Amino acid sequence: YGMRKFITTPVPFPLIQMTRTLVIIYIYTIPLIFVESNENTPLWECLFVFLLAYGFMGLELVAIELDDPFGNDDNDFDTLSFAQMVFEDTFLMVAEVDGEEWSVKLQNKMNSRRRRDVNESFKNDFPCINENSPLL
């Protein structure tokens, strides 16, 4: 329940807008701070400004990537493979405790349930296809 609540709770847009605005203002005012102090050469000041800007913009991009960790992007968690691994471990435990026959029965039951769920969702998405359709 905690993960579902985490995923479905939206981040308020004004919060995102204000943090991005503050990051941009901070990045544009950094050179003014270095202009005040004449302790370093301009090359070092440019390097410091670049590193700070790169760091803050990188943190913002990381926050954007971590905003939805359970989506379908390349950097998201692969929840389907985790679920598959849990099912395989469950089948192995059932086979070890109750025998291979019960493990096969459980696998067949799960596969038939999954096929039925897929067929029902397909019917809901495409109501024009009837029961006798070769697609089902």
Side-chain angles (χ1 to χ4, degrees):
Y1 177 74
M3 286 297 168
R4 183 176 298 149
K5 187 175 181 182
F6 174 73
I7 293 171
T8 58
T9 304
V11 178
F13 179 72
L15 178 68
I16 295 170
Q17 187 178 21
M18 285 305 300
T19 53
R20 287 185 180 167
T21 304
L22 290 174
V23 166
I24 289 171
I25 289 172
Y26 181 74
I27 288 172
Y28 280 120
T29 58
I30 288 174
L32 301 176
I33 301 298
F34 286 115
V35 167
E36 285 287 321
S37 68
N38 292 328
E39 298 172 7
N40 296 324
T41 63
L43 181 64
W44 283 109
E45 291 173 359
C46 289
L47 180 67
F48 291 147
V49 169
F50 171 75
L51 289 176
L52 286 171
Y54 186 76
F56 275 101
M57 294 304 281
L59 283 175
E60 182 185 4
L61 292 175
V62 167
I64 291 170
E65 281 292 322
L66 293 178
D67 184 35
D68 185 18
F70 301 109
N72 294 326
D73 296 334
D74 291 336
N75 292 332
D76 292 340
F77 290 120
D78 189 12
T79 53
L80 291 177
S81 68
F82 290 145
Q84 180 69 28
M85 188 170 41
V86 168
F87 278 125
E88 289 173 0
D89 289 344
T90 304
F91 296 142
L92 288 174
M93 286 190 297
V94 168
E96 193 174 295
V97 173
D98 293 332
E100 189 71 30
E101 178 185 351
W102 287 101
S103 176
V104 171
K105 285 182 181 182
L106 180 62
Q107 286 176 346
N108 291 337
K109 187 173 185 175
M110 293 301 294
N111 287 336
S112 67
R113 180 176 291 159
R114 184 173 49 206
R115 271 189 245 112
R116 186 182 69 233
D117 292 343
V118 167
N119 287 342
E120 287 176 8
S121 67
F122 189 77
K123 288 178 199 175
N124 292 337
D125 291 341
F126 302 102
C128 60
I129 297 177
N130 59 19
E131 294 289 327
N132 300 328
S133 175
L135 295 175
L136 294 178

